[in-house]
Amino acid sequence: MTGLDFRPVFARLPFLLGGVGVTVLIAGLAFVFGLLLAVGLAVVRFENQGGWRRLSRSYSTALTNTPQLSQIFAVFYCLPLMGLMVSPFLSVVIGMTLNAAAYLADILGAGMARVPPVYHEVALTLGLNRRQTYLRVILPYAGRTMFPALANHFQIMILGSAMASIFGVEDLTGRAYDIGSTTFRILEVMLVTGGLYAVLSFALTGVFALCRRTMERIV
Amino acid sequence: MIAFSHYDIALLLQAMGRTVELSLGGGLLGIAGAILLTALRLSDLRYMFPLRMLAVLYVQTIRRIPFIVTLYIVFFCAGMMGVDVSATVVAIGSIGLIAAAYLCEILHGGVKTVPVEQVEAALVLNLPLWARWRYVIGPQALSAIVPPAVGYLVLFIKDTALASQIGVVELSQAGVILSNRGLPSVQVFCVVLLLYFAISYPLTCLSRLLEKRIAVH
Amino acid sequence: MRANWNSLLLGFCAVSGALWGGGAGARDSAAIRASGHINIGVEPGLPPLGEYDDHNELVGYDVDIGREIARGMGVEPRFVTLSSSGRIPYLMAGKVDIVLGGLTLTPGRAEVIAFSRPLYSEQFAVITPEDRGITSFTDLESGAHRLIEVRGSTAVAYLQQRVPKAPMLLLESYADAIRALAQGRGDAMVDVIEYVGHYLPSQPQVHWRIIRGFAPPVGDDCIGMTRQDVALRADVNRILDAMEHDRRLEQIHRRWFDPAVAERAP
């Protein structure tokens, strides 16, 4: 053994960096679809209709109390048994979407509960129907107040998307492991990869701070 | 239902025990580490400055690296430094590392919620250090610390699933072994998910209960 | 303050020194004997080499060989489970003293690790569900068929060279690969049939076609060790020679690679 040698890793840096795009794509897709699903779940909860509400709550409880890895495994192995042939990439995105929806619904729900009653009254006075009230008043308000929590969850999803590597997806971690298994320099490649994730995460923090400031200026 | 042999069930239960061991060990290690890190961050001794900066850097950075990457790094680092430890110990250590960072944020934030005037008043009263913490800062900070901390412990239980990737036979790995043994995937994964739920849900309830209790006060 | 910086710096130097100086990870045969145990890397998802049997015990060809090596050195065997892609990294990081798991001797690997004398030789075959219409290895050249392979296996490099156009999905284990093949995530797999064959009966609904004879024997399967440890290599080779002499090597091979067992694969 000759100690640490980063050269083989740096020689493959472009390939590794390409994985950053895949990582962001996985987390981004799962976040967007998860958010759409979460809006539905949160609205159901907010409308307070006995059985449906309990179902929506149970969904979040079930998925936030089990590991995302096992959930993706379940999607990966069980969907094909139901006749749905999906690629590993899609399996991971679906698994992460279902998982994200559970957390995001909790976040949105908390945000909707904080909408001041006067907003509802104003919406009523303006003659907005239910759909308009949600789209123009409640959801924007909830989204804005919960922006830090939503942004934070996106960061968590970026980290969580590393699990995609276990299913053969060539994301940042998957590519790192590929490089590790061909150059045998796994510690070196993992150190570089950890650094890349940290840089990505700090950059996203900056982007979100900028978004937030812009949002506050507009509103 | 399925024909789980009694060895299959034994494997699942053993693996569940391993998951609990990882969560508990990692959680306790994390609490110890978090107290140490928070003490560092709160200390106002001048010569501690570099260590304080390191603590902040550590807390800020490790939370931005996927757990699976941290796990690999610790695993291979331990090996290269000649430390001959089992994968289970590596996994507990890695969970401890990230748990320390997350819990430190909560601890640090919790202590900061105590109004400065109160700490100053305690100083004026000439209370010794332990009494300041025992009677003034501790009880108030605890209410801001305990519920989210318990919530985070649930998060670490779920992170233990990744220990399968360095060869620890924990709950999710047991599911893969059973599935490879030819048992039907759907049932196996349902059982695995249910067992995780059985470990994690009571803690979630506890966290919620504590939150309500404290809100009442 | 300066004293603190210094001690901090010293700490860093110690850590990075231990990493850089290397060698600290790998134990030589004297250290192994002194510790009373040897860490043996085996793959638990690779029957007949290694698997968890119905009684949850780790069993297989590699486990038996590992036990014999440990016995020959007079130490207790400790098995460390790993995946194909982890075999050499684990060895280089000192997580294992010797590694099995169907480790084929290749020139690339021989540059970084040392190999024992061969245990047996292996040959590639194409494994494909009959309905995919693949009848020969040359069918894969067009790139119309997606291959499913195990990450870190020798087949990957072989295929990238022989059928560069064929798209490839890399998975972590043979079980995953065969399941993915049965589920239609890919069309064919090229690997050593003795390893893959054990998984085929787990997908009874699929009619498997196995195409052999397109490749020369891929190579010899050996035990891997670190390069600088000459004494350990001598020990292992001495034990293997003795095992060949008193036919234990052959017995273990027959127990796990018996044609009757392999016949289970259609």
Side-chain angles (χ1 to χ4, degrees):
Chain A
M1 196 171 69
T2 45
L4 292 181
D5 180 7
F6 283 93
R7 278 166 305 176
V9 179
F10 287 129
R12 291 165 180 79
L13 204 55
F15 174 68
L16 193 62
L17 283 172
V20 176
V22 183
T23 289
V24 174
L25 185 67
I26 293 172
L29 284 174
F31 184 81
V32 169
F33 291 125
L35 197 60
L36 289 175
L37 205 57
V39 167
L41 287 167
V43 168
V44 164
R45 244 175 262 181
F46 199 61
E47 291 286 309
N48 197 3
Q49 288 166 340
W52 286 106
R53 181 181 196 204
R54 225 173 299 142
L55 201 67
S56 164
R57 280 260 164 94
S58 313
Y59 178 85
S60 284
T61 309
L63 273 88
T64 54
N65 279 294
T66 46
Q68 180 169 273
L69 180 64
S70 304
Q71 291 162 13
I72 303 176
F73 262 120
V75 169
F76 189 75
Y77 286 141
C78 300
L79 277 190
L81 297 178
M82 292 155 60
L84 289 168
M85 198 50 61
V86 286
S87 68
F89 178 86
L90 216 53
S91 305
V92 172
V93 171
I94 293 172
M96 284 187 68
T97 299
L98 296 176
N99 183 273
Y103 285 95
L104 296 176
D106 280 350
I107 295 173
L108 280 181
M112 284 157 79
R114 284 197 211 164
V115 176
V118 67
Y119 276 52
H120 294 272
E121 287 157 24
V122 168
L124 213 61
T125 323
L126 287 173
L128 298 181
N129 63 27
R130 255 233 168 82
R131 201 174 63 99
Q132 287 168 322
T133 311
Y134 270 113
L135 287 180
R136 306 243 174 109
V137 184
I138 301 178
L139 285 173
Y141 185 92
R144 217 163 38 238
T145 45
M146 290 322 234
F147 184 78
L150 294 173
N152 186 45
H153 195 75
F154 183 71
Q155 297 266 23
I156 292 174
M157 289 175 71
I158 288 274
L159 303 188
S161 71
M163 288 174 202
S165 62
I166 297 168
F167 301 87
V169 177
E170 300 265 298
D171 72 322
L172 184 47
T173 308
R175 289 188 180 196
Y177 216 72
D178 273 353
I179 293 174
S181 67
T182 49
T183 64
F184 315 125
R185 290 284 167 196
I186 192 130
L187 179 59
E188 290 88 334
V189 77
M190 283 300 159
L191 285 170
V192 172
T193 304
L196 286 177
Y197 272 107
V199 169
L200 175 64
S201 168
F202 277 116
L204 283 171
T205 304
V207 170
F208 289 139
L210 208 69
C211 285
R212 203 170 169 207
R213 231 174 300 145
T214 319
M215 216 159 57
E216 271 162 10
R217 209 174 304 142
I218 292 170
V219 183
Chain B
M1 257 324 262
I2 352 161
F4 277 132
S5 81
H6 101 261
Y7 282 104
D8 298 340
I9 295 167
L11 178 69
L12 277 171
L13 291 181
Q14 265 171 21
M16 187 173 169
R18 189 46 59 88
T19 293
V20 171
E21 182 191 342
L22 293 176
S23 319
L24 220 59
L28 288 177
L29 208 61
I31 292 170
I35 291 173
L36 193 76
L37 282 171
T38 312
L40 265 178
R41 284 177 74 177
L42 290 174
S43 79
D44 42 14
L45 301 171
R46 252 191 79 223
Y47 62 84
M48 290 293 258
F49 180 76
L51 277 180
R52 198 150 62 227
M53 282 299 101
L54 268 184
V56 173
L57 190 73
Y58 172 78
V59 169
Q60 285 300 325
T61 312
I62 198 152
R63 291 184 303 142
R64 295 170 187 272
I65 298 174
F67 180 56
I68 189 165
V69 174
T70 309
L71 198 60
Y72 284 138
I73 291 175
V74 174
F75 185 73
F76 289 112
C77 228
M80 287 188 87
M81 287 167 68
V83 189
D84 184 20
V85 287
S86 72
T88 307
V89 175
V90 168
I92 291 178
S94 308
I95 294 167
L97 281 179
I98 56 151
Y102 279 100
L103 295 176
C104 173
E105 275 296 275
I106 298 176
L107 227 58
H108 188 247
V111 172
K112 290 276 170 194
T113 58
V114 179
V116 185
E117 301 84 40
Q118 299 210 10
V119 184
E120 280 167 358
L123 278 171
V124 170
L125 286 173
N126 225 356
L127 286 181
L129 181 75
W130 69 268
R132 287 207 303 274
W133 280 91
R134 170 69 186 81
Y135 297 109
V136 183
I137 306 173
Q140 299 190 63
L142 229 50
S143 65
I145 290 169
V146 174
V150 176
Y152 268 112
L153 290 178
V154 177
L155 217 70
F156 306 140
I157 294 172
K158 288 175 281 174
D159 274 336
T160 62
L162 290 166
S164 55
Q165 296 307 304
I166 56 167
V168 180
V169 181
E170 43 64 71
L171 211 38
S172 73
Q173 187 62 22
V176 173
I177 291 174
L178 289 183
S179 175
N180 286 349
R181 203 177 273 177
L183 291 168
S185 307
V186 179
Q187 282 96 325
V188 169
F189 284 110
C190 279
V191 171
V192 166
L193 287 170
L194 273 176
L195 290 178
Y196 271 115
F197 190 80
I199 304 173
S200 152
Y201 188 59
L203 267 181
T204 308
C205 290
L206 180 69
S207 167
R208 266 193 221 139
L209 192 76
L210 287 170
E211 220 165 319
K212 266 187 208 148
R213 270 267 177 93
I214 285 157
V216 170
H217 284 301
Chain C
M1 182 146 172
R2 173 163 298 169
N4 253 284
W5 269 115
N6 284 344
S7 59
L8 212 67
L9 221 64
L10 265 174
F12 268 120
C13 289
V15 171
S16 40
L19 286 173
W20 223 274
R27 311 190 301 161
D28 59 12
S29 69
I32 292 169
R33 285 211 170 82
S35 72
H37 70 268
I38 181 167
N39 295 322
I40 304 166
V42 294
E43 208 173 320
L46 191 59
L49 299 183
E51 67 178 318
Y52 287 101
D53 69 2
D54 290 342
H55 296 176
N56 308 328
E57 301 289 338
L58 196 58
V59 297
Y61 177 84
D62 287 351
V63 176
D64 284 359
I65 295 284
R67 284 226 169 83
E68 291 293 328
I69 299 282
R71 204 162 64 131
M73 291 184 69
V75 293
E76 173 210 343
R78 279 197 197 161
F79 292 99
V80 175
T81 55
L82 37 70
S83 64
S84 288
S85 51
R87 287 173 303 187
I88 293 173
Y90 275 46
L91 191 64
M92 292 178 72
K95 295 305 296 182
V96 294
D97 300 314
I98 61 173
V99 68
L100 292 102
L103 190 67
T104 317
L105 197 160
T106 65
R109 285 175 179 161
E111 278 174 25
V112 278
I113 63 165
F115 289 91
S116 70
R117 50 152 287 176
L119 295 169
Y120 57 88
S121 70
E122 42 188 38
Q123 192 158 23
F124 285 147
V126 179
I127 297 106
T128 175
E130 274 178 1
D131 59 5
R132 309 293 154 79
I134 297 169
T135 53
S136 74
F137 182 74
T138 44
D139 288 352
L140 303 175
E141 282 168 4
S142 69
H145 301 286
R146 180 195 279 274
L147 295 170
I148 296 186
E149 299 299 327
V150 175
R151 187 177 276 162
S153 68
T154 34
V156 175
Y158 175 79
L159 292 167
Q160 277 166 349
Q161 199 193 350
R162 287 286 305 271
V163 285
K165 273 196 235 156
M168 210 185 284
L169 169 63
L170 298 178
L171 296 175
E172 282 295 317
S173 74
Y174 283 96
D176 285 350
I178 287 301
R179 186 178 353 237
L181 210 51
Q183 289 173 347
R185 292 178 196 272
D187 303 309
M189 176 176 186
V190 176
D191 211 303
V192 178
I193 183 65
E194 280 80 8
Y195 304 158
V196 186
H198 279 250
Y199 286 104
L200 300 184
S202 71
Q203 307 288 340
Q205 76 284 13
V206 180
H207 295 288
W208 296 100
R209 176 178 291 153
I210 291 155
I211 305 158
R212 303 171 203 250
F214 56 87
V218 229
D220 293 322
D221 203 278
C222 306
I223 299 176
M225 286 158 283
T226 54
R227 276 166 68 97
Q228 64 268 50
D229 196 352
V230 184
L232 179 61
R233 208 182 324 164
D235 277 343
V236 168
N237 281 335
R238 181 179 50 75
I239 295 165
L240 289 178
D241 284 341
M243 284 171 69
E244 171 152 62
H245 190 253
D246 62 16
R247 305 209 145 216
R248 268 177 296 161
L249 206 55
E250 193 190 322
Q251 279 164 15
I252 294 174
H253 191 271
R254 201 172 326 128
R255 186 182 313 155
W256 296 102
F257 289 93
D258 188 278
V261 181
E263 275 305 295
R264 280 193 315 200

